[in-house]
Amino acid sequence: MELSVSHAQSRFSRASAELRALLRLATPIMIAQLSNTAMGFVDAVMAGRVSPRDLAAVALGNSIWIPVFLLMTGTLLATTAKVAERFGGNRQEETGPLVRQALWLALVVGLTGALVLLNARPVLQLMGVDPELIAPAMGYLQGIAFGFPAVALYYVLRCFSDGLGRTRPSMVLGICGLLLNIPLNYILIYGHLGMPAMGGVGCGWASGTVMWFMLLGMLSWVSRAPVYQPSRLFERFDKPQLPVIKRLLSVGGPIGIAVFAESSIFAVIALLIGGLGATVVAGHQIALNFSALVFMIPYALAMAVTVRVGQALGRGEPRAARFAAGVGIGVALAYACLSASLMLVCRELIAKMYSPDPAVIAVAAMLIVYSALFQFSDAIQVAAAGALRGYQDTRATMIITLFAYWGIGLPVGYALGLSNWLGEPSGPKGLWQGLVVGLTCAAVLLSVRLARSSRARIRM
């Protein structure tokens, strides 16, 4: 009996220590992610105060650029896992050459992403978006494209810092970026200091400018702080080395595709309802924007789990890696209980923060109910995916994600919302029901894969 009690106390003490270490890493990431997502919240609120048309244009622009952004930054996330593994194994001097190659990769994907945004008009037309919304949506995307190369380079430096366990820089720069975004929005949306009133389009140019500011801030921080100097990142200039870049892509490419698969299903839903009018699009954008804001907490936890798992594997401690993954999923689930409860109770109040229009509020409040329902499965799947990134087991994650979202979630949502296959079409409500199904499927399959990967590493 005494041994049993002692074992339980030891396990509790170990879990407490892991939780503290995880939260030390995750808290600055959470603040950084919330700051970045809050920029989208500010864009939506300020554009919504101009008109439903401006809010709808921002919503459509977001449905294009956010999936492209997540594909790009997901691909670059391989940097975190590889840096964490080297740092855990006391090989920090190897991180400098690796990150220099990741910066070359970032430059290419950043420029490519900008070109995609600048040529997005056919996508909007193909999806049957209201012609009156296409021009302002494209103007918004042009501003975002201006900042894409900068944010790609920033993200590699952020992953480098996170992999070393230094997450404070992204927090500080995220807060500064948000504080800069608000006055820039005010100037460009409403036309002050000699600038023309651009409406929702101004949000895009404000965000693009902030992206360049954050890159310059991270460059200054990483080049000056002593903790980064053993990596010798800026000691020399390296030409692109294709073998190293290919290894980064072999891990990062599946991450990017997996993240894109999840985010793009939300984007496709926004485009599918684009023909239902500005009110429905605006209501969907409110629910989606707030869901994204809430999602940043488990997403930040997942990024911290990647670091903890990667560093444990670098130290040659696979059991510690598995334990870190389990604690991360538990914390994410606890948060989901809180977020789901608050969303159900405060759904109308949340919608009113974005828009005074009663019709928009009614649509948004209805959709926030479904967002609350998928909080639990979303928390599990993102934490499990973060742990699998730490194991650098990303190909299976990609396949599972594509199957769950595009093979299950989107077809179910389309059948319920826009077709008469399963009865009278229910519009956006049915599409969001499909999201619940897809996310639940992803949570189950990713959890099974994580259990198998962790057991395989322990047996090695």
Side-chain angles (χ1 to χ4, degrees):
M1 182 67 178
E2 290 181 1
L3 285 175
S4 178
V5 171
S6 175
H7 178 72
Q9 289 175 340
S10 174
R11 190 169 181 81
F12 177 78
S13 175
R14 184 184 173 198
S16 298
E18 178 60 38
L19 178 61
R20 288 193 297 271
L22 181 67
L23 292 179
R24 275 197 300 271
L25 280 175
T27 300
I29 299 176
M30 289 177 192
I31 297 171
Q33 292 299 122
L34 286 171
S35 298
N36 293 339
T37 308
M39 292 184 201
F41 172 80
V42 169
D43 286 354
V45 169
M46 296 182 77
R49 296 294 168 181
V50 179
S51 72
R53 177 178 177 272
D54 285 89
L55 177 56
V58 170
L60 291 168
N62 286 343
S63 72
I64 299 292
W65 84 262
I66 289 178
V68 177
F69 170 80
L70 292 174
L71 173 62
M72 176 179 75
T73 54
T75 300
L76 301 174
L77 268 176
T79 309
T80 302
K82 289 186 173 294
V83 168
E85 185 177 18
R86 285 161 174 75
F87 181 73
N90 292 318
R91 295 179 288 136
Q92 190 174 345
E93 71 282 355
E94 297 179 14
T95 60
L98 173 73
V99 175
R100 286 194 288 271
Q101 296 306 307
L103 288 169
W104 280 114
L105 177 60
L107 183 61
V108 172
V109 298
L111 290 171
T112 303
L115 288 174
V116 170
L117 299 189
L118 293 173
N119 293 278
R121 183 181 294 270
V123 176
L124 295 171
Q125 293 171 335
L126 182 65
M127 299 303 296
V129 171
D130 186 341
E132 291 187 2
L133 298 177
I134 291 179
M138 284 304 302
Y140 174 77
L141 287 174
Q142 288 168 5
I144 297 292
F146 164 69
F148 248 47
V151 78
L153 294 168
Y154 161 81
Y155 212 80
V156 165
L157 295 175
R158 174 183 168 171
C159 289
F160 164 56
S161 185
D162 288 352
L164 297 178
R166 306 291 173 169
T167 54
R168 187 166 173 263
S170 60
M171 175 188 72
V172 173
L173 291 170
I175 294 171
C176 292
L178 174 61
L179 295 177
L180 178 61
N181 182 252
I182 294 171
L184 284 177
N185 266 353
Y186 181 73
I187 292 168
L188 296 176
I189 291 174
Y190 300 106
H192 294 285
L193 301 180
M195 300 298 294
M198 302 171 71
V201 172
C203 297
W205 287 97
S207 297
T209 303
V210 168
M211 291 173 186
W212 282 100
F213 162 79
M214 293 179 71
L215 170 62
L216 294 175
M218 186 62 85
L219 276 171
S220 176
W221 198 311
V222 170
S223 63
R224 295 172 183 269
V227 69
Y228 303 102
Q229 303 316 307
S231 299
R232 300 178 180 178
L233 177 58
F234 299 113
E235 185 178 75
R236 53 178 293 178
F237 174 84
D238 288 343
K239 294 180 179 180
Q241 298 173 7
L242 289 181
V244 179
I245 292 174
K246 285 181 179 178
R247 286 196 293 273
L248 283 167
L249 278 173
S250 69
V251 175
I255 297 174
I257 293 171
V259 174
F260 176 80
E262 180 180 0
S263 63
S264 60
I265 193 173
F266 289 92
V268 168
I269 288 173
L271 294 172
L272 286 172
I273 67 174
L276 300 180
T279 297
V280 174
V281 174
H284 167 80
Q285 173 61 16
I286 289 171
L288 179 59
N289 184 270
F290 191 79
S291 298
L293 190 65
V294 171
F295 176 71
M296 286 303 104
I297 301 298
Y299 185 66
L301 281 168
M303 295 176 74
V305 169
T306 300
V307 175
R308 293 293 297 168
V309 170
Q311 290 184 351
L313 293 175
R315 296 192 302 269
E317 299 176 1
R319 292 186 183 277
R322 182 175 66 178
F323 192 76
V327 170
I329 291 174
V331 175
L333 271 175
Y335 170 77
C337 293
L338 176 63
S339 62
S341 301
L342 290 175
M343 291 170 79
L344 286 172
V345 172
C346 304
R347 56 187 182 276
E348 289 190 2
L349 180 62
I350 293 166
K352 288 177 182 177
M353 289 192 300
Y354 287 84
S355 175
D357 189 313
V360 173
I361 291 171
V363 174
M366 174 189 67
L367 297 180
I368 287 172
V369 172
Y370 294 102
S371 177
L373 292 177
F374 66 58
Q375 290 300 301
F376 301 97
S377 52
D378 212 10
I380 294 172
Q381 68 86 19
V382 73
L388 287 166
R389 287 197 295 271
Y391 282 100
Q392 299 184 40
D393 180 8
T394 57
R395 194 176 299 272
T397 304
M398 175 188 69
I399 295 169
I400 289 169
T401 304
L402 286 170
F403 170 73
Y405 300 142
W406 287 87
I408 302 294
L410 187 58
V412 169
Y414 184 86
L416 292 171
L418 298 177
S419 78
N420 56 7
W421 302 341
L422 301 175
E424 189 71 21
S426 55
K429 181 169 69 174
L431 290 163
W432 278 67
Q433 289 168 346
L435 290 175
V436 175
V437 174
L439 286 165
T440 302
C441 179
V444 172
L445 295 177
L446 288 172
S447 298
V448 171
R449 180 65 186 186
L450 175 59
R452 290 180 178 178
S453 295
S454 61
R455 283 197 300 267
R457 289 300 291 262
I458 289 171
R459 290 169 182 164
M460 288 177 63

